[in-house]
Amino acid sequence: RAIVAETSKPSKKQTESAGMMSIQDNLYEIFQQAITEAIIDITDPPIVITLANNVKFGDYQCNSAMPIANIYKQLGKKVAPRDIATKIIEKVPTNPMIEKLEIAGAGFINIFISRTYGMQNLNTIFEKGLQPPPINKKLRVLVDFSSPNIAKEMHVGHLRSTIIGDSISRLLEYFGHDVLRINHLGDWGTQFGMLIAHLQDQFPNYLTQSPPIADLQAFYKESKARFDSDAEFKKRAYACVVKLQAFEPDYYKAWQLICDVSRKEFQKIYDRMDIKITERGESFYQDRMDKIVKELEDNGFLELDEGRKIMWVEQNVGIPLTITKSDGGYTYDTSDMAAIKQRLVEEKCDWVIYVTDSGQATHFDIIFKCAKRAGIVDYQKHRLDHVGFGVVLGEDKKKFKTRSGDTVRLIELLDEGLKRALDKLKEKERDKVLTEDELKLAQESIAYGCIKYADLSHNRNQEYVFSFDKMLEDKGNTAVYLLYAYTRIRSIARNANYTPEKIVNIAKIFSVSLEHEKEWKLGKVLLRFPDVLLKITKDLCLHHLCEYLYEIATTFTEFYDSCYCIEKDSSGDIIKVNNGRILLAEATALIMHKCFDILGLKPVSRM
Ligand code: ARG
């Protein structure tokens, strides 16, 4: 099935917009109008606009004639698709965006985009900066991502959530939405009972002296071992949870100490990867959990089941949520019901996005449905997404582990990335050319960039194999290839002795050049920028952006191979600079830079 134009409703703002226009949205609007006028005997005729996959068939296609003919057939009318296409074309008014229309094959309408239009659109980048596609309404969006658990390992699954969630936030921030980046830390479970009981034994004066529990994991293991073997300890641990959840000061203090240890570890990772996130863990919802349980109970949504209180999406359909355990304690379900209410009602969010492994898809599906049943969500106003992702595998295609079978510590992973990135740069002898500072910047750009990019460039729904060797390759769709491609593009203007200010001035006099076939090919790729972003706001799949970046880089190479930007004489002196091409290269660099921004990569000017 062809891709229908990814559009909700082309906004009127489009015309007032400062930036590049969405070609798909515009074509959709034009053809919707034409088709409704041409086909009066069918209500809501299908509007199908796709990107052409071969230049012979134009740049875009309207493929509505065939499905319309089918609808006629079902109504007992025989109409040839080509005739339908002709009727549609007659109704398309002249439009500066469209160069020409052609009917091909069974009834395809090939759409050729006008170069003048392309030029004007690309020139807006220099006039107003690279603007995002306009939005109908600024939304309040909450992105729940990263969300590791205190005292437990922050593992590669959390790393994926961190990378994907950060990138989604960056995209929506670029669109101008109001984005809340929330770290839903697991900081409130029963495990705290045993941690606190163990802390009391090990460091009795913890109230006055900070206990040296640098290795919280080991501490966790010790307390767990006691919990499993010592009945008396177990009882005391349970009592601790009750006291903590009643906010008794000494217990609260012990809990804070423990959380601080983890928090510092997590923060190291966020700082290194330049991730901004606000902590709002499960503990934040304690009071709200009391309230939501009561509310659900009062409204008759809960049912008793062997001492537990459960909530069904629909009587006996699927799996119910456990709202309270038989001992009265709360669960992951309870905290998510309290959280969804806090987010939609108190926080007045329009859109909430949860980024976790796909294993939690059912959990969120049920949370969303129960929230609907309880009247918390209203799909007229709200959008909810669970952004799932597949597991991270090692190169042996088994669950990502260290050689000794332990979970890989993220800090060590980042360290290895840094080391490998430096090796790579040395292998290319860049250490001989770059200053120490430049080398360090390049190293970090490559290390964190390649880890993020490897993750984001894979379809998030699939599992992915973590391989430094693969991600550091300088060919193919990798961060290294793209970061290099970017610096090369940036060096073109530099080699022409064009400063950024000069480029701005040149852009006032010249237009990007789209004459040559390869220029126009590159131009058309660049013109798709708004459409690519719009598509990602629909399915929240960032690999589209990575594929797009790669397409830009390879199309640029094609252009650069056949079109000179600077002409030099035999002694290497510049004799001619093609300003239109310098501008095309500059537009390419600006768009690439924005794509990197959204993906959380930091390109450097020299590497
Ligand atoms: N802490 C959870 C985990 O490690 C993820 C939390 C995701 N967010 C949420 N609202 N449930 O799996």
Side-chain angles (χ1 to χ4, degrees):
R1 207 186 119 83
I3 310 157
V4 180
E6 295 284 351
T7 172
S8 36
K9 201 163 124 263
S11 71
K12 289 281 166 302
K13 284 210 193 109
Q14 200 94 123
T15 37
E16 306 152 19
S17 147
M20 277 161 75
M21 295 205 251
S22 157
I23 294 184
Q24 285 255 5
D25 276 2
N26 273 298
L27 287 175
Y28 189 90
E29 204 172 10
I30 293 167
F31 277 86
Q32 187 178 41
Q33 180 84 34
I35 292 171
T36 337
E37 278 174 36
I39 314 296
I40 39 172
D41 42 0
I42 295 176
T43 41
D44 283 336
I47 319 293
V48 188
I49 306 289
T50 65
L51 199 62
N53 48 20
N54 187 326
V55 276
K56 278 198 305 214
F57 306 131
D59 304 316
Y60 293 81
Q61 288 181 315
C62 169
N63 297 342
S64 291
M66 287 68 70
I68 291 173
N70 270 331
I71 297 175
Y72 276 131
K73 200 168 158 194
Q74 280 156 25
L75 297 172
K77 273 198 211 171
K78 203 167 173 281
V79 192
R82 278 191 81 98
D83 294 340
I84 297 172
T86 312
K87 276 172 80 183
I88 295 174
I89 285 188
E90 281 166 6
K91 295 289 180 194
V92 177
T94 40
N95 183 295
M97 185 169 72
I98 302 171
E99 177 78 46
K100 63 170 180 185
L101 298 170
E102 264 174 20
I103 300 176
F108 300 96
I109 302 173
N110 298 342
I111 308 165
F112 295 80
I113 298 299
S114 136
R115 290 187 199 213
T116 316
Y117 166 89
M119 223 184 300
Q120 283 162 355
N121 252 284
L122 290 175
N123 285 337
T124 65
I125 301 177
F126 300 107
E127 290 154 19
K128 338 222 153 126
L130 181 58
Q131 298 296 323
I135 48 176
N136 289 321
K137 186 179 162 236
K138 179 174 177 159
L139 300 175
R140 197 161 162 75
V141 194
L142 189 146
V143 187
D144 172 327
F145 70 103
S146 193
S147 308
N149 304 313
I150 300 277
K152 293 190 195 154
E153 192 80 61
M154 180 170 179
H155 52 74
V156 280
H158 294 122
L159 183 67
R160 275 209 99 173
S161 171
T162 308
I163 292 170
I164 297 171
D166 176 56
S167 186
I168 290 177
S169 303
R170 285 167 180 271
L171 174 76
L172 299 177
E173 282 155 358
Y174 177 53
F175 268 88
H177 294 303
D178 180 10
V179 180
L180 279 157
R181 301 157 156 257
I182 293 294
N183 201 356
H184 190 82
L185 278 190
D187 65 355
W188 206 237
T190 28
Q191 81 265 29
F192 284 96
M194 67 190 203
L195 284 165
I196 294 172
H198 192 51
L199 182 78
Q200 288 171 337
D201 295 346
Q202 295 290 304
F203 306 105
N205 51 357
Y206 69 88
L207 287 171
T208 49
Q209 258 173 6
S210 234
I213 30 171
D215 196 344
L216 199 53
Q217 236 98 186
F219 191 79
Y220 180 88
K221 275 189 194 146
E222 286 163 29
S223 63
K224 177 93 172 81
R226 289 182 71 192
F227 185 85
D228 291 337
S229 64
D230 180 345
E232 198 274 325
F233 181 82
K234 193 169 184 168
K235 237 168 101 187
R236 201 150 59 80
Y238 278 130
C240 286
V241 187
V242 176
K243 289 188 177 131
L244 170 64
Q245 297 192 336
F247 297 98
E248 273 196 34
D250 288 2
Y251 292 81
Y252 196 71
K253 176 85 207 263
W255 169 78
Q256 277 178 321
L257 283 171
I258 295 165
C259 289
D260 272 344
V261 180
S262 277
R263 191 173 285 130
K264 286 201 185 95
E265 286 305 305
F266 298 155
Q267 196 55 44
K268 279 185 204 156
I269 306 211
Y270 298 141
D271 286 345
R272 283 232 209 155
M273 300 181 69
D274 191 23
I275 306 284
K276 305 259 178 313
I277 191 163
T278 305
E279 182 181 324
R280 192 186 281 169
E282 291 174 19
S283 61
F284 173 86
Y285 302 96
Q286 176 62 26
D287 294 347
R288 291 169 179 85
M289 286 196 274
D290 296 337
K291 290 203 190 99
I292 192 87
V293 172
K294 186 164 182 311
E295 178 187 321
L296 295 174
E297 179 118 68
D298 290 350
N299 289 308
F301 292 125
L302 302 189
E303 189 178 299
L304 218 54
D305 176 70
E306 296 177 11
R308 302 181 307 149
K309 285 179 188 156
I310 58 170
M311 177 171 180
W312 295 96
V313 166
E314 218 181 294
Q315 196 56 47
N316 296 318
V317 173
I319 314 160
L321 294 178
T322 300
I323 299 296
T324 59
K325 293 190 286 188
S326 45
D327 64 3
Y330 298 147
T331 69
Y332 191 49
D333 295 346
T334 328
S335 66
D336 266 324
M337 283 303 280
I340 202 167
K341 172 139 193 211
Q342 192 275 340
R343 291 162 181 188
L344 296 178
V345 180
E346 260 180 73
E347 204 74 72
K348 296 196 172 52
C349 292
D350 304 291
W351 187 3
V352 184
I353 300 171
Y354 297 80
V355 188
T356 77
D357 60 288
S358 301
Q360 298 195 38
T362 318
H363 167 74
F364 287 106
D365 183 48
I366 300 171
I367 290 285
F368 296 170
K369 285 178 174 149
C370 284
K372 169 131 196 299
R373 186 176 166 212
I376 297 168
V377 194
D378 169 2
Y379 283 107
Q380 296 296 320
K381 293 198 295 212
H382 301 133
R383 174 170 169 187
L384 297 175
D385 281 286
H386 172 242
V387 171
F389 52 80
V391 288
V392 183
L393 303 177
E395 287 182 84
D396 54 3
K397 302 270 162 71
K398 294 204 187 100
K399 221 173 155 198
F400 194 54
K401 287 265 151 93
T402 60
R403 236 163 256 191
S404 57
D406 294 331
T407 21
V408 180
R409 300 200 52 208
L410 291 190
I411 279 285
E412 281 160 23
L413 192 78
L414 299 183
D415 283 340
E416 184 174 353
L418 280 175
K419 190 189 153 294
R420 299 260 209 146
L422 189 61
D423 291 347
K424 186 88 199 173
L425 285 159
K426 285 188 173 156
E427 182 190 303
K428 288 173 169 277
E429 303 199 319
R430 303 306 294 163
D431 51 330
K432 302 208 172 95
V433 196
L434 301 174
T435 67
E436 210 173 298
D437 285 346
E438 283 174 335
L439 188 68
K440 187 163 179 280
L441 279 178
Q443 177 191 14
E444 287 173 359
S445 166
I446 292 177
Y448 304 133
C450 80
I451 295 175
K452 290 181 182 182
Y453 195 82
D455 195 319
L456 296 168
S457 59
H458 287 86
N459 182 334
R460 63 174 166 79
N461 294 302
Q462 289 154 16
E463 53 190 30
Y464 109 90
V465 176
F466 191 99
S467 157
F468 273 122
D469 288 338
K470 277 240 159 56
M471 57 180 89
L472 285 164
E473 266 168 24
D474 41 23
K475 286 192 188 67
N477 190 4
T478 68
V480 179
Y481 169 75
L482 293 166
L483 289 167
Y484 268 107
Y486 174 81
T487 53
R488 265 196 304 272
I489 298 172
R490 267 281 133 93
S491 69
I492 296 171
R494 212 170 38 226
N495 290 338
N497 298 321
Y498 276 28
T499 58
E501 298 77 52
K502 178 151 184 189
I503 295 172
V504 172
N505 287 328
I506 294 286
K508 290 186 186 134
I509 311 162
F510 294 92
S511 271
V512 290
S513 174
L514 298 176
E515 293 299 311
H516 191 282
E517 171 213 349
K518 296 292 182 189
E519 292 171 344
W520 183 217
K521 184 172 176 185
L522 174 61
K524 282 186 290 188
V525 174
L526 298 180
L527 287 167
R528 273 180 20 231
F529 177 68
D531 284 325
V532 174
L533 297 191
L534 286 169
K535 184 180 169 74
I536 304 171
T537 61
K538 308 272 154 46
D539 66 9
L540 303 174
C541 280
L542 289 148
H543 67 276
H544 302 310
L545 194 58
C546 300
E547 278 162 15
Y548 179 61
L549 246 182
Y550 186 58
E551 189 179 346
I552 296 178
T554 49
T555 316
F556 185 86
T557 306
E558 262 186 64
F559 150 74
Y560 199 60
D561 285 348
S562 33
C563 302
Y564 74 86
C565 293
I566 306 168
E567 224 173 323
K568 290 182 179 174
D569 63 17
S570 53
S571 59
D573 290 333
I574 299 173
I575 46 171
K576 197 177 155 202
V577 176
N578 186 319
N579 287 312
R581 286 179 183 167
I582 294 279
L583 289 178
L584 184 58
E586 193 60 20
T588 307
L590 288 170
I591 291 179
M592 283 184 83
H593 197 286
K594 184 46 78 184
C595 294
F596 285 134
D597 272 353
I598 294 171
L599 298 168
L601 270 65
K602 287 193 178 147
V604 288
S605 51
R606 268 162 64 84
M607 64 180 238

